[in-house]
Amino acid sequence: MLRLTFPPNRPRPFRLLCLGAHADDIEIGCGGTVLRLVAEIPDLSVCWIVFSGHDAREAEARSSADAFLAGCKDRHVEVLQFRDGYFPFEGAAIKDRFEALKHEFEPTLVLTHWRGDAHQDHRLIAELTGNTFRDHLVLAYEIPKYDNDLGNPNFFVPLTRPQMEQKTRLLASGFPSQSGRGWFTTDTFMALARLRGVGCKAPDGLAEGFYSEKIVWEGLADH
């Protein structure tokens, strides 16, 4: 198993782009990874975009983003108003936002949806991410749900137990509108993290899994 380390002598600040179709997608799919990056990278700059959030869901999305990004001074949170479940039919307008975004923010790392996700909104965001950020490190997260579309991720971010507990605590407090959903529970999120932790021999047995379609090796910097 190969390991990736972001070098401390990067030529520019670390710029993280988080993309989610719905108000809680980023937090569910990569919340633990975001918490790690905020804690470990002092010069972190974050652009966090949620494409569908209306009324109470918008308030939840903004409050939750602030909680997950606490400690990150350079952050931009945007909640758009595209219609939940109808993204493929609003594709041109969503594509326009992506076209503008690539001129506004040059990311070091992009966290987004997986192309194999069964939800049509998730898939469209995944496809547009790949079309827009063709020369960037893109990691696609997974969302557990009824569609039975979990796969076998090939990139892992180990998490400590306190980090994972913080993620689930923030999810529970940040999205009260989802508390009635049978799958939106702490044990669901911990169970998936445990499985991904097994998959990468994580020290605390917990991890988040991602899909990477393309990574280019530029050589060994010290040789």
Side-chain angles (χ1 to χ4, degrees):
M1 182 166 57
L2 300 178
R3 300 180 183 275
L4 172 67
T5 301
F6 293 113
N9 57 341
R10 295 182 309 277
R12 59 185 176 87
F14 194 105
R15 297 166 65 84
L16 173 66
L17 175 60
C18 299
L19 302 173
H22 309 112
D24 50 15
D25 287 342
I26 296 171
E27 293 90 337
I28 293 172
C30 59
T33 299
V34 170
L35 291 172
R36 271 200 64 176
L37 290 171
V38 169
E40 296 177 10
I41 300 180
D43 62 351
L44 185 66
S45 175
V46 180
C47 180
W48 177 297
I49 300 181
V50 176
F51 284 81
S52 178
H54 298 272
D55 302 325
R57 293 288 277 158
E58 178 179 1
E60 287 180 343
R62 292 188 181 280
S63 176
S64 178
D66 287 342
F68 273 83
L69 297 176
C72 176
K73 296 180 180 178
D74 185 5
R75 65 180 189 258
H76 169 74
V77 177
E78 184 175 348
V79 182
L80 304 175
Q81 303 293 313
F82 293 104
R83 188 177 176 186
D84 184 359
Y86 284 77
F87 281 23
F89 307 101
E90 299 192 73
I94 297 174
K95 171 68 171 176
D96 286 343
R97 183 64 193 97
F98 271 88
E99 286 299 304
L101 178 60
K102 70 181 180 182
H103 299 293
E104 298 169 0
F105 192 81
E106 177 67 21
T108 309
L109 169 64
V110 183
L111 301 178
T112 190
H113 289 281
W114 175 46
R115 290 176 187 261
D117 195 303
H119 195 298
Q120 66 274 14
D121 295 355
H122 297 180
R123 279 200 313 277
L124 183 66
I125 297 302
E127 291 165 2
L128 290 176
T129 302
N131 293 342
T132 306
F133 298 100
R134 300 172 64 86
D135 297 316
H136 300 76
L137 177 57
V138 177
L139 299 179
Y141 55 76
E142 55 185 347
I143 304 283
K145 55 186 180 303
Y146 182 75
D147 300 282
N148 194 31
D149 57 357
L150 289 178
N152 294 297
N154 56 11
F155 191 102
F156 300 90
V157 177
L159 300 172
T160 65
R161 181 162 292 276
Q163 286 168 340
M164 192 61 206
E165 289 174 347
Q166 182 182 8
K167 169 184 171 172
T168 57
R169 184 172 62 254
L170 291 176
L171 273 167
S173 63
F175 297 99
S177 68
Q178 304 302 294
S179 61
R181 296 182 179 271
W183 61 270
F184 197 94
T185 62
T186 295
D187 58 355
T188 297
F189 304 133
M190 291 297 291
L192 183 57
R194 181 69 184 104
L195 287 175
R196 299 318 180 203
V198 170
C200 66
K201 295 184 179 180
D204 279 14
L206 300 167
E208 288 178 337
F210 297 84
Y211 297 85
S212 174
E213 295 185 1
K214 185 187 299 184
I215 294 180
V216 178
W217 183 32
E218 295 184 346
L220 299 175
D222 297 332
H223 292 267

